Structures are given as structure tokens and as C-alpha cells.
Amino acid sequence: MKFLKWLLAILLFLALLGYFVGLPYLQEQTKKYSPEKTATFSKDGLKLSVVYSSPSKKGRKIFGSLVPHDVVWRTGANEPTTFTSSAAISIAGNKLPQGTYSIWTIPGGERWTVIFNKEIPDWGVTLMSGGKETTRDPENDLIQVVVPRYATSDTVEQFTMEFEETPNLQLALSWDDTKVSVPINY
């Protein structure tokens, strides 16, 4: 019985060590290759921000290969991408209350689905799936919008998200030979 208690104590210690030391170390290591970036927009008292990890192309074919078509993508690398708004806004005609949301996408050859989800999981994919399944819970989806995919004239080496006023505000996502823009009204 004493041996069993010691074994359980050691296993508990190793699990806690892995969670509090190992996991942060792994997250730090992955950010060397896909650095965390922030895009911001501020106007008339409205503040928007997007925090995402930016992987590089590195000579790979991205959409339809590394990032499959018609499958939910965590939209970047590492943790899920987050979108924060200081006030209620409209995303392609859909109301989005003030708050912070995770952004997920379903890339397609002609169109993309962009999803704003109320939940922000710790990591963007499940470890048991080898990174092939996201941690998104569809029941927490607040908005799903479909936007067209455009081909870029130049290759975009690092995944990029930015706010553009052209003349209306849009959240633009660019990588490889692809760009999509999500209309935002405030």
C-alpha cells in the first residue's frame, strides 16, 4: 500500500511538472517558428485587435495541401487566433457584441468561411489527432460568414492578418497566393 501511494505521488508530480513546465516550454519553442503577432485598429473610440501566430511558407504549397480545403483551420499556428472589439460591431452584416472571440476558418478554392467563436481554447488543435483536428466547439460559434478568395499578385511568405480601410474597414488574411477580406462595420 505504501508503494502505491509513492507511485501515485510520483505520477502526480510528473503530470504537474509536465503541465506547468513542459507545456509552456513547448509553446515557447513553437513561437520561434511561428511568432506571435498583433494587428490593431483604432478610430472614433473603437479599438479592434487580432492576436495570431504567423507561420512561414518555406517553399511549401499552403492551401489545398498543408492547410486542406473544406476543413476547419485554426487560422495561424499554435493557440487559436483571437479577435477583440471594444464595442459592438457588424461582421458582414452580422452583429458581434463587444468582447474577445476565437477566429477559425474553412479555406476553400473559391470561398472561405470565417467563424467567430465565443470560446478560446488553450491550444488550436488536439494533440491526439497529431494536429489534424481543431479544438473548436461548433456549438459556441457566434458568426459564420462566407467571403471570396482572391489570388495575390506576389507570394506572401508569412501568414498575415491586418486591418485595411479600402475605403471600408476589412480584416484581411494573406498567405502564399491567397487573400481573403472580412467586412467590418462600426
Side-chain angles (χ1 to χ4, degrees):
M1 191 64 142
K2 194 174 191 179
F3 173 76
L4 185 59
K5 286 182 182 178
W6 273 104
L7 181 63
L8 287 174
I10 290 170
L11 290 174
L12 179 64
F13 173 77
L14 291 174
L16 290 172
L17 183 67
Y19 183 78
F20 289 109
V21 176
L23 189 58
Y25 174 77
L26 288 174
Q27 288 176 338
E28 178 185 319
Q29 294 304 308
T30 62
K31 290 190 181 188
K32 288 181 182 178
Y33 302 104
S34 299
E36 188 172 275
K37 294 189 176 186
T38 302
T40 59
F41 173 83
S42 182
K43 187 174 184 181
D44 299 332
L46 174 67
K47 294 180 182 172
L48 302 176
S49 69
V50 174
V51 179
Y52 65 101
S53 290
S54 178
S56 296
K57 178 174 168 52
K58 297 181 184 173
R60 302 174 289 186
K61 176 167 173 39
I62 302 301
F63 298 109
S65 183
L66 180 66
V67 177
H69 284 154
D70 305 319
V71 176
V72 175
W73 178 44
R74 64 179 152 182
T75 315
N78 306 325
E79 299 90 355
T81 294
T82 60
F83 179 93
T84 302
S85 177
S86 66
I89 58 174
S90 176
I91 304 289
N94 300 283
K95 298 243 184 242
L96 184 72
Q98 170 187 355
T100 300
Y101 305 90
S102 56
I103 295 180
W104 307 84
T105 51
I106 303 174
E110 300 295 320
R111 292 171 182 52
W112 280 35
T113 301
V114 180
I115 303 163
F116 290 79
N117 187 288
K118 294 182 275 188
E119 184 180 48
I120 303 170
D122 288 338
W123 203 244
V125 293
T126 63
L127 296 177
M128 298 302 285
S129 72
K132 295 188 186 305
E133 294 178 18
T134 66
T135 54
R136 167 185 156 257
D137 180 357
E139 292 196 16
N140 288 311
D141 290 350
L142 189 61
I143 294 175
Q144 287 192 21
V145 297
V146 177
V147 294
R149 175 215 175 261
Y150 298 100
T152 59
S153 55
D154 295 321
T155 299
V156 179
E157 176 62 28
Q158 270 195 297
F159 176 65
T160 303
M161 297 181 76
E162 58 192 348
F163 294 99
E164 298 177 341
E165 285 189 282
T166 58
N168 299 320
L169 182 61
Q170 299 183 44
L171 175 61
L173 295 77
S174 306
W175 196 18
D176 193 8
D177 61 352
T178 297
K179 180 176 182 175
V180 296
S181 296
V182 181
I184 300 173
N185 294 311
Y186 55 98

